PDB file of all heavy atoms in Angstrom:
ATOM      1  N   GLY A1028     -13.522   9.343  87.544  1.00 90.00           N
ATOM      2  CA  GLY A1028     -12.149   8.908  87.436  1.00 90.00           C
ATOM      3  C   GLY A1028     -11.755   8.478  88.799  1.00 90.00           C
ATOM      4  O   GLY A1028     -12.334   8.640  89.936  1.00 90.00           O
ATOM      5  N   ILE A1029     -10.567   7.776  88.834  1.00 93.00           N
ATOM      6  CA  ILE A1029     -10.065   7.183  90.178  1.00 93.00           C
ATOM      7  C   ILE A1029      -8.955   8.095  90.712  1.00 93.00           C
ATOM      8  O   ILE A1029      -8.158   8.844  89.847  1.00 93.00           O
ATOM      9  CB  ILE A1029      -9.525   5.776  89.901  1.00 93.00           C
ATOM     10  CG1 ILE A1029      -8.397   5.771  88.998  1.00 93.00           C
ATOM     11  CG2 ILE A1029     -10.773   4.936  89.593  1.00 93.00           C
ATOM     12  CD1 ILE A1029      -7.633   4.346  89.058  1.00 93.00           C
ATOM     13  N   ASN A1030      -8.839   8.181  91.985  1.00 94.00           N
ATOM     14  CA  ASN A1030      -7.756   8.830  92.644  1.00 94.00           C
ATOM     15  C   ASN A1030      -7.378   8.041  93.819  1.00 94.00           C
ATOM     16  O   ASN A1030      -8.080   8.110  94.902  1.00 94.00           O
ATOM     17  CB  ASN A1030      -8.187  10.291  93.023  1.00 94.00           C
ATOM     18  CG  ASN A1030      -7.000  11.090  93.455  1.00 94.00           C
ATOM     19  OD1 ASN A1030      -6.403  10.859  94.373  1.00 94.00           O
ATOM     20  ND2 ASN A1030      -6.910  12.257  92.860  1.00 94.00           N
ATOM     21  N   LEU A1031      -6.353   7.201  93.654  1.00 95.00           N
ATOM     22  CA  LEU A1031      -6.048   6.219  94.739  1.00 95.00           C
ATOM     23  C   LEU A1031      -4.623   6.644  95.419  1.00 95.00           C
ATOM     24  O   LEU A1031      -3.835   7.162  94.706  1.00 95.00           O
ATOM     25  CB  LEU A1031      -5.875   4.832  94.082  1.00 95.00           C
ATOM     26  CG  LEU A1031      -6.946   4.368  93.270  1.00 95.00           C
ATOM     27  CD1 LEU A1031      -6.513   3.061  92.619  1.00 95.00           C
ATOM     28  CD2 LEU A1031      -8.363   4.287  93.986  1.00 95.00           C
ATOM     29  N   VAL A1032      -4.559   6.265  96.681  1.00 96.00           N
ATOM     30  CA  VAL A1032      -3.235   6.452  97.422  1.00 96.00           C
ATOM     31  C   VAL A1032      -2.692   5.059  97.674  1.00 96.00           C
ATOM     32  O   VAL A1032      -3.298   4.195  98.389  1.00 96.00           O
ATOM     33  CB  VAL A1032      -3.439   7.347  98.603  1.00 96.00           C
ATOM     34  CG1 VAL A1032      -2.164   7.309  99.392  1.00 96.00           C
ATOM     35  CG2 VAL A1032      -4.081   8.656  98.293  1.00 96.00           C
ATOM     36  N   LEU A1033      -1.589   4.778  97.202  1.00 95.00           N
ATOM     37  CA  LEU A1033      -0.762   3.531  97.549  1.00 95.00           C
ATOM     38  C   LEU A1033       0.131   3.880  98.619  1.00 95.00           C
ATOM     39  O   LEU A1033       0.963   4.892  98.587  1.00 95.00           O
ATOM     40  CB  LEU A1033       0.006   2.967  96.256  1.00 95.00           C
ATOM     41  CG  LEU A1033      -0.743   2.768  94.964  1.00 95.00           C
ATOM     42  CD1 LEU A1033       0.191   1.988  94.042  1.00 95.00           C
ATOM     43  CD2 LEU A1033      -1.970   1.917  95.184  1.00 95.00           C
ATOM     44  N   THR A1034       0.087   3.010  99.597  1.00 95.00           N
ATOM     45  CA  THR A1034       1.022   3.147 100.798  1.00 95.00           C
ATOM     46  C   THR A1034       1.805   1.995 100.927  1.00 95.00           C
ATOM     47  O   THR A1034       1.452   0.813 100.598  1.00 95.00           O
ATOM     48  CB  THR A1034       0.160   3.391 102.105  1.00 95.00           C
ATOM     49  OG1 THR A1034      -0.692   4.470 101.915  1.00 95.00           O
ATOM     50  CG2 THR A1034       1.036   3.621 103.315  1.00 95.00           C
ATOM     51  N   GLY A1035       3.209   2.250 101.318  1.00 94.00           N
ATOM     52  CA  GLY A1035       4.050   1.151 101.472  1.00 94.00           C
ATOM     53  C   GLY A1035       5.525   1.564 101.630  1.00 94.00           C
ATOM     54  O   GLY A1035       5.798   2.607 102.070  1.00 94.00           O
ATOM     55  N   ASP A1036       6.435   0.762 101.114  1.00 89.00           N
ATOM     56  CA  ASP A1036       7.827   1.045 101.146  1.00 89.00           C
ATOM     57  C   ASP A1036       8.462   0.931  99.781  1.00 89.00           C
ATOM     58  O   ASP A1036       8.022   0.081  98.902  1.00 89.00           O
ATOM     59  CB  ASP A1036       8.550   0.064 102.036  1.00 89.00           C
ATOM     60  CG  ASP A1036       8.001  -0.071 103.553  1.00 89.00           C
ATOM     61  OD1 ASP A1036       7.909   1.164 104.005  1.00 89.00           O
ATOM     62  OD2 ASP A1036       7.601  -0.974 103.976  1.00 89.00           O
ATOM     63  N   CYS A1037       9.535   1.664  99.617  1.00 86.00           N
ATOM     64  CA  CYS A1037      10.261   1.766  98.296  1.00 86.00           C
ATOM     65  C   CYS A1037       9.346   1.867  96.989  1.00 86.00           C
ATOM     66  O   CYS A1037       9.454   1.215  96.035  1.00 86.00           O
ATOM     67  CB  CYS A1037      11.010   0.368  98.133  1.00 86.00           C
ATOM     68  SG  CYS A1037      12.430   0.358  99.358  1.00 86.00           S
ATOM     69  N   LEU A1038       8.380   2.793  97.222  1.00 89.00           N
ATOM     70  CA  LEU A1038       7.451   2.917  96.141  1.00 89.00           C
ATOM     71  C   LEU A1038       7.871   4.072  95.027  1.00 89.00           C
ATOM     72  O   LEU A1038       7.263   4.186  94.044  1.00 89.00           O
ATOM     73  CB  LEU A1038       6.063   3.579  96.667  1.00 89.00           C
ATOM     74  CG  LEU A1038       5.386   2.537  97.657  1.00 89.00           C
ATOM     75  CD1 LEU A1038       4.043   3.145  98.108  1.00 89.00           C
ATOM     76  CD2 LEU A1038       5.208   1.195  97.199  1.00 89.00           C
ATOM     77  N   GLY A1039       9.037   4.625  95.356  1.00 85.00           N
ATOM     78  CA  GLY A1039       9.593   5.536  94.299  1.00 85.00           C
ATOM     79  C   GLY A1039       9.560   7.033  94.813  1.00 85.00           C
ATOM     80  O   GLY A1039       8.890   7.343  95.665  1.00 85.00           O
ATOM     81  N   ASP A1040      10.208   7.777  94.034  1.00 83.00           N
ATOM     82  CA  ASP A1040      10.224   9.210  94.242  1.00 83.00           C
ATOM     83  C   ASP A1040      10.303   9.923  92.902  1.00 83.00           C
ATOM     84  O   ASP A1040      10.236   9.238  91.871  1.00 83.00           O
ATOM     85  CB  ASP A1040      11.345   9.598  95.265  1.00 83.00           C
ATOM     86  CG  ASP A1040      12.628   9.245  94.745  1.00 83.00           C
ATOM     87  OD1 ASP A1040      12.838   9.056  93.543  1.00 83.00           O
ATOM     88  OD2 ASP A1040      13.515   9.000  95.628  1.00 83.00           O
ATOM     89  N   SER A1041      10.415  11.202  92.907  1.00 78.00           N
ATOM     90  CA  SER A1041      10.448  12.015  91.623  1.00 78.00           C
ATOM     91  C   SER A1041      11.707  11.633  90.706  1.00 78.00           C
ATOM     92  O   SER A1041      11.605  11.811  89.591  1.00 78.00           O
ATOM     93  CB  SER A1041      10.600  13.539  91.934  1.00 78.00           C
ATOM     94  OG  SER A1041      11.638  13.787  92.679  1.00 78.00           O
ATOM     95  N   ASP A1042      12.729  10.910  91.304  1.00 76.00           N
ATOM     96  CA  ASP A1042      13.773  10.681  90.500  1.00 76.00           C
ATOM     97  C   ASP A1042      13.632   9.242  89.768  1.00 76.00           C
ATOM     98  O   ASP A1042      14.148   9.022  88.741  1.00 76.00           O
ATOM     99  CB  ASP A1042      15.149  10.532  91.342  1.00 76.00           C
ATOM    100  CG  ASP A1042      15.606  11.901  91.879  1.00 76.00           C
ATOM    101  OD1 ASP A1042      15.583  12.824  91.187  1.00 76.00           O
ATOM    102  OD2 ASP A1042      15.736  12.024  93.112  1.00 76.00           O
ATOM    103  N   THR A1043      12.791   8.464  90.436  1.00 79.00           N
ATOM    104  CA  THR A1043      12.632   7.117  89.751  1.00 79.00           C
ATOM    105  C   THR A1043      11.475   7.020  88.966  1.00 79.00           C
ATOM    106  O   THR A1043      11.244   6.057  88.138  1.00 79.00           O
ATOM    107  CB  THR A1043      12.595   6.027  91.025  1.00 79.00           C
ATOM    108  OG1 THR A1043      11.413   6.305  91.690  1.00 79.00           O
ATOM    109  CG2 THR A1043      13.781   6.035  91.694  1.00 79.00           C
ATOM    110  N   ASN A1044      10.549   7.873  89.105  1.00 82.00           N
ATOM    111  CA  ASN A1044       9.246   7.931  88.283  1.00 82.00           C
ATOM    112  C   ASN A1044       8.556   6.564  88.130  1.00 82.00           C
ATOM    113  O   ASN A1044       8.588   5.950  87.148  1.00 82.00           O
ATOM    114  CB  ASN A1044       9.604   8.510  86.798  1.00 82.00           C
ATOM    115  CG  ASN A1044       8.456   8.743  86.030  1.00 82.00           C
ATOM    116  OD1 ASN A1044       7.315   9.029  86.473  1.00 82.00           O
ATOM    117  ND2 ASN A1044       8.583   8.565  84.682  1.00 82.00           N
ATOM    118  N   PRO A1045       7.972   6.158  89.226  1.00 90.00           N
ATOM    119  CA  PRO A1045       7.339   4.847  89.276  1.00 90.00           C
ATOM    120  C   PRO A1045       6.243   4.863  88.266  1.00 90.00           C
ATOM    121  O   PRO A1045       5.490   5.789  88.016  1.00 90.00           O
ATOM    122  CB  PRO A1045       6.778   4.661  90.681  1.00 90.00           C
ATOM    123  CG  PRO A1045       6.763   6.068  91.290  1.00 90.00           C
ATOM    124  CD  PRO A1045       7.769   6.821  90.523  1.00 90.00           C
ATOM    125  N   GLN A1046       5.952   3.650  87.692  1.00 92.00           N
ATOM    126  CA  GLN A1046       4.918   3.404  86.706  1.00 92.00           C
ATOM    127  C   GLN A1046       3.753   2.500  87.431  1.00 92.00           C
ATOM    128  O   GLN A1046       4.035   1.572  88.054  1.00 92.00           O
ATOM    129  CB  GLN A1046       5.457   2.727  85.483  1.00 92.00           C
ATOM    130  CG  GLN A1046       6.664   3.428  84.914  1.00 92.00           C
ATOM    131  CD  GLN A1046       6.072   4.828  84.319  1.00 92.00           C
ATOM    132  OE1 GLN A1046       5.155   4.953  83.612  1.00 92.00           O
ATOM    133  NE2 GLN A1046       6.889   5.823  84.716  1.00 92.00           N
ATOM    134  N   ALA A1047       2.528   2.905  87.104  1.00 95.00           N
ATOM    135  CA  ALA A1047       1.446   2.094  87.628  1.00 95.00           C
ATOM    136  C   ALA A1047       0.551   1.530  86.518  1.00 95.00           C
ATOM    137  O   ALA A1047       0.332   2.276  85.510  1.00 95.00           O
ATOM    138  CB  ALA A1047       0.568   2.917  88.552  1.00 95.00           C
ATOM    139  N   THR A1048       0.092   0.306  86.637  1.00 95.00           N
ATOM    140  CA  THR A1048      -0.731  -0.316  85.593  1.00 95.00           C
ATOM    141  C   THR A1048      -1.905  -0.967  86.333  1.00 95.00           C
ATOM    142  O   THR A1048      -1.907  -1.553  87.335  1.00 95.00           O
ATOM    143  CB  THR A1048      -0.018  -1.470  84.875  1.00 95.00           C
ATOM    144  OG1 THR A1048       1.231  -0.885  84.338  1.00 95.00           O
ATOM    145  CG2 THR A1048      -0.809  -1.998  83.712  1.00 95.00           C
ATOM    146  N   LEU A1049      -3.014  -0.759  85.699  1.00 95.00           N
ATOM    147  CA  LEU A1049      -4.275  -1.287  86.104  1.00 95.00           C
ATOM    148  C   LEU A1049      -4.775  -2.426  85.178  1.00 95.00           C
ATOM    149  O   LEU A1049      -5.024  -2.113  83.942  1.00 95.00           O
ATOM    150  CB  LEU A1049      -5.451  -0.273  86.170  1.00 95.00           C
ATOM    151  CG  LEU A1049      -5.115   1.095  87.018  1.00 95.00           C
ATOM    152  CD1 LEU A1049      -6.176   2.054  86.771  1.00 95.00           C
ATOM    153  CD2 LEU A1049      -4.895   0.741  88.491  1.00 95.00           C
ATOM    154  N   MET A1050      -4.941  -3.478  85.701  1.00 95.00           N
ATOM    155  CA  MET A1050      -5.233  -4.730  84.761  1.00 95.00           C
ATOM    156  C   MET A1050      -6.580  -5.251  85.111  1.00 95.00           C
ATOM    157  O   MET A1050      -6.844  -5.818  86.127  1.00 95.00           O
ATOM    158  CB  MET A1050      -4.105  -5.850  85.033  1.00 95.00           C
ATOM    159  CG  MET A1050      -2.755  -5.414  84.803  1.00 95.00           C
ATOM    160  SD  MET A1050      -1.435  -6.568  85.238  1.00 95.00           S
ATOM    161  CE  MET A1050      -1.459  -6.186  87.080  1.00 95.00           C
ATOM    162  N   GLY A1051      -7.415  -4.937  84.177  1.00 93.00           N
ATOM    163  CA  GLY A1051      -8.896  -5.363  84.275  1.00 93.00           C
ATOM    164  C   GLY A1051      -9.368  -6.334  83.271  1.00 93.00           C
ATOM    165  O   GLY A1051      -8.673  -6.733  82.397  1.00 93.00           O
ATOM    166  N   PRO A1052     -10.694  -6.388  83.292  1.00 89.00           N
ATOM    167  CA  PRO A1052     -11.330  -7.420  82.262  1.00 89.00           C
ATOM    168  C   PRO A1052     -11.213  -7.059  80.845  1.00 89.00           C
ATOM    169  O   PRO A1052     -11.225  -7.879  79.954  1.00 89.00           O
ATOM    170  CB  PRO A1052     -12.773  -7.414  82.750  1.00 89.00           C
ATOM    171  CG  PRO A1052     -12.934  -6.104  83.385  1.00 89.00           C
ATOM    172  CD  PRO A1052     -11.627  -5.854  84.113  1.00 89.00           C
ATOM    173  N   ASP A1053     -10.874  -5.777  80.564  1.00 88.00           N
ATOM    174  CA  ASP A1053     -10.810  -5.308  79.142  1.00 88.00           C
ATOM    175  C   ASP A1053      -9.466  -5.042  78.747  1.00 88.00           C
ATOM    176  O   ASP A1053      -9.206  -4.471  77.578  1.00 88.00           O
ATOM    177  CB  ASP A1053     -11.798  -4.078  78.977  1.00 88.00           C
ATOM    178  CG  ASP A1053     -13.252  -4.436  79.136  1.00 88.00           C
ATOM    179  OD1 ASP A1053     -13.640  -5.439  78.858  1.00 88.00           O
ATOM    180  OD2 ASP A1053     -14.079  -3.510  79.624  1.00 88.00           O
ATOM    181  N   GLY A1054      -8.559  -5.304  79.635  1.00 91.00           N
ATOM    182  CA  GLY A1054      -7.158  -4.919  79.202  1.00 91.00           C
ATOM    183  C   GLY A1054      -6.464  -4.161  80.264  1.00 91.00           C
ATOM    184  O   GLY A1054      -6.887  -4.101  81.415  1.00 91.00           O
ATOM    185  N   GLU A1055      -5.364  -3.616  79.841  1.00 93.00           N
ATOM    186  CA  GLU A1055      -4.470  -2.832  80.763  1.00 93.00           C
ATOM    187  C   GLU A1055      -4.726  -1.410  80.555  1.00 93.00           C
ATOM    188  O   GLU A1055      -4.891  -0.834  79.474  1.00 93.00           O
ATOM    189  CB  GLU A1055      -3.037  -3.217  80.590  1.00 93.00           C
ATOM    190  CG  GLU A1055      -2.721  -4.579  81.041  1.00 93.00           C
ATOM    191  CD  GLU A1055      -1.219  -4.992  80.928  1.00 93.00           C
ATOM    192  OE1 GLU A1055      -0.486  -3.995  80.475  1.00 93.00           O
ATOM    193  OE2 GLU A1055      -0.807  -5.955  81.351  1.00 93.00           O
ATOM    194  N   TYR A1056      -4.625  -0.572  81.635  1.00 95.00           N
ATOM    195  CA  TYR A1056      -4.769   0.840  81.674  1.00 95.00           C
ATOM    196  C   TYR A1056      -3.520   1.416  82.431  1.00 95.00           C
ATOM    197  O   TYR A1056      -3.228   0.998  83.621  1.00 95.00           O
ATOM    198  CB  TYR A1056      -6.018   1.410  82.358  1.00 95.00           C
ATOM    199  CG  TYR A1056      -7.208   0.806  81.618  1.00 95.00           C
ATOM    200  CD1 TYR A1056      -7.770  -0.422  81.817  1.00 95.00           C
ATOM    201  CD2 TYR A1056      -7.915   1.622  80.585  1.00 95.00           C
ATOM    202  CE1 TYR A1056      -8.901  -0.837  81.223  1.00 95.00           C
ATOM    203  CE2 TYR A1056      -9.017   1.164  79.977  1.00 95.00           C
ATOM    204  CZ  TYR A1056      -9.586  -0.143  80.241  1.00 95.00           C
ATOM    205  OH  TYR A1056     -10.653  -0.493  79.626  1.00 95.00           O
ATOM    206  N   HIS A1057      -2.899   2.339  81.885  1.00 95.00           N
ATOM    207  CA  HIS A1057      -1.675   3.072  82.595  1.00 95.00           C
ATOM    208  C   HIS A1057      -2.137   4.206  83.366  1.00 95.00           C
ATOM    209  O   HIS A1057      -2.629   5.192  82.798  1.00 95.00           O
ATOM    210  CB  HIS A1057      -0.618   3.303  81.564  1.00 95.00           C
ATOM    211  CG  HIS A1057      -0.159   2.116  80.922  1.00 95.00           C
ATOM    212  ND1 HIS A1057       0.775   1.064  81.562  1.00 95.00           N
ATOM    213  CD2 HIS A1057      -0.269   1.533  79.682  1.00 95.00           C
ATOM    214  CE1 HIS A1057       1.129   0.273  80.698  1.00 95.00           C
ATOM    215  NE2 HIS A1057       0.482   0.430  79.536  1.00 95.00           N
ATOM    216  N   ALA A1058      -1.920   4.204  84.571  1.00 95.00           N
ATOM    217  CA  ALA A1058      -2.379   5.417  85.457  1.00 95.00           C
ATOM    218  C   ALA A1058      -1.238   6.307  85.593  1.00 95.00           C
ATOM    219  O   ALA A1058      -0.103   6.032  85.424  1.00 95.00           O
ATOM    220  CB  ALA A1058      -2.771   4.867  86.832  1.00 95.00           C
ATOM    221  N   THR A1059      -1.629   7.471  85.777  1.00 94.00           N
ATOM    222  CA  THR A1059      -0.634   8.646  86.084  1.00 94.00           C
ATOM    223  C   THR A1059      -0.225   8.586  87.649  1.00 94.00           C
ATOM    224  O   THR A1059      -1.149   8.388  88.499  1.00 94.00           O
ATOM    225  CB  THR A1059      -1.242   9.991  85.849  1.00 94.00           C
ATOM    226  OG1 THR A1059      -1.563  10.109  84.482  1.00 94.00           O
ATOM    227  CG2 THR A1059      -0.177  11.153  86.183  1.00 94.00           C
ATOM    228  N   THR A1060       1.124   8.753  87.936  1.00 94.00           N
ATOM    229  CA  THR A1060       1.474   8.434  89.300  1.00 94.00           C
ATOM    230  C   THR A1060       2.088   9.875  89.689  1.00 94.00           C
ATOM    231  O   THR A1060       2.684  10.626  88.968  1.00 94.00           O
ATOM    232  CB  THR A1060       2.691   7.585  89.441  1.00 94.00           C
ATOM    233  OG1 THR A1060       3.705   7.872  88.540  1.00 94.00           O
ATOM    234  CG2 THR A1060       2.069   6.135  89.148  1.00 94.00           C
ATOM    235  N   THR A1061       1.777  10.270  91.052  1.00 93.00           N
ATOM    236  CA  THR A1061       2.254  11.523  91.653  1.00 93.00           C
ATOM    237  C   THR A1061       2.816  11.166  93.032  1.00 93.00           C
ATOM    238  O   THR A1061       2.106  10.429  93.662  1.00 93.00           O
ATOM    239  CB  THR A1061       1.221  12.543  91.729  1.00 93.00           C
ATOM    240  OG1 THR A1061       0.598  12.798  90.468  1.00 93.00           O
ATOM    241  CG2 THR A1061       1.708  13.820  92.293  1.00 93.00           C
ATOM    242  N   ILE A1062       4.079  11.535  93.313  1.00 92.00           N
ATOM    243  CA  ILE A1062       4.533  11.192  94.609  1.00 92.00           C
ATOM    244  C   ILE A1062       4.033  12.151  95.620  1.00 92.00           C
ATOM    245  O   ILE A1062       4.106  13.325  95.603  1.00 92.00           O
ATOM    246  CB  ILE A1062       6.145  11.342  94.591  1.00 92.00           C
ATOM    247  CG1 ILE A1062       6.690  10.493  93.467  1.00 92.00           C
ATOM    248  CG2 ILE A1062       6.731  11.048  95.853  1.00 92.00           C
ATOM    249  CD1 ILE A1062       6.454   8.924  93.577  1.00 92.00           C
ATOM    250  N   ARG A1063       3.401  11.579  96.668  1.00 91.00           N
ATOM    251  CA  ARG A1063       2.873  12.394  97.693  1.00 91.00           C
ATOM    252  C   ARG A1063       3.923  12.484  98.800  1.00 91.00           C
ATOM    253  O   ARG A1063       4.265  13.564  99.233  1.00 91.00           O
ATOM    254  CB  ARG A1063       1.487  11.878  98.276  1.00 91.00           C
ATOM    255  CG  ARG A1063       1.093  12.541  99.539  1.00 91.00           C
ATOM    256  CD  ARG A1063      -0.070  11.948 100.115  1.00 91.00           C
ATOM    257  NE  ARG A1063      -1.431  12.243  99.374  1.00 91.00           N
ATOM    258  CZ  ARG A1063      -2.527  11.940  99.659  1.00 91.00           C
ATOM    259  NH1 ARG A1063      -2.800  11.155 100.819  1.00 91.00           N
ATOM    260  NH2 ARG A1063      -3.628  12.293  98.834  1.00 91.00           N
ATOM    261  N   THR A1064       4.444  11.376  99.220  1.00 91.00           N
ATOM    262  CA  THR A1064       5.641  11.235 100.178  1.00 91.00           C
ATOM    263  C   THR A1064       6.508  10.342  99.602  1.00 91.00           C
ATOM    264  O   THR A1064       6.236   9.147  99.297  1.00 91.00           O
ATOM    265  CB  THR A1064       5.039  10.640 101.442  1.00 91.00           C
ATOM    266  OG1 THR A1064       3.983  11.533 102.080  1.00 91.00           O
ATOM    267  CG2 THR A1064       6.192  10.654 102.623  1.00 91.00           C
ATOM    268  N   PRO A1065       7.852  10.738  99.358  1.00 88.00           N
ATOM    269  CA  PRO A1065       8.713   9.951  98.650  1.00 88.00           C
ATOM    270  C   PRO A1065       8.941   8.498  99.373  1.00 88.00           C
ATOM    271  O   PRO A1065       8.922   8.490 100.486  1.00 88.00           O
ATOM    272  CB  PRO A1065      10.084  10.685  98.767  1.00 88.00           C
ATOM    273  CG  PRO A1065       9.583  12.154  98.832  1.00 88.00           C
ATOM    274  CD  PRO A1065       8.302  11.996  99.628  1.00 88.00           C
ATOM    275  N   GLN A1066       8.904   7.484  98.544  1.00 87.00           N
ATOM    276  CA  GLN A1066       8.968   6.131  98.837  1.00 87.00           C
ATOM    277  C   GLN A1066       7.864   5.441  99.528  1.00 87.00           C
ATOM    278  O   GLN A1066       7.599   4.263  99.499  1.00 87.00           O
ATOM    279  CB  GLN A1066      10.302   5.926  99.672  1.00 87.00           C
ATOM    280  CG  GLN A1066      11.494   6.453  99.034  1.00 87.00           C
ATOM    281  CD  GLN A1066      11.875   5.885  97.622  1.00 87.00           C
ATOM    282  OE1 GLN A1066      11.306   4.754  97.349  1.00 87.00           O
ATOM    283  NE2 GLN A1066      12.620   6.514  96.927  1.00 87.00           N
ATOM    284  N   THR A1067       6.945   6.301 100.226  1.00 91.00           N
ATOM    285  CA  THR A1067       5.934   5.679 100.975  1.00 91.00           C
ATOM    286  C   THR A1067       4.482   5.933 100.610  1.00 91.00           C
ATOM    287  O   THR A1067       3.510   5.207 100.874  1.00 91.00           O
ATOM    288  CB  THR A1067       6.018   6.137 102.531  1.00 91.00           C
ATOM    289  OG1 THR A1067       5.888   7.608 102.542  1.00 91.00           O
ATOM    290  CG2 THR A1067       7.437   5.665 103.037  1.00 91.00           C
TER     291      THR A1067
END
């Protein structure tokens, strides 16, 4: 399984519940998101 960390700005927090999608050769996969540091 994958366990990735996205770093950036305005990535969301527990209130906004950001959604992540992985788009590959066989279609789309929806990943589970967990806030490590709000927004970043």
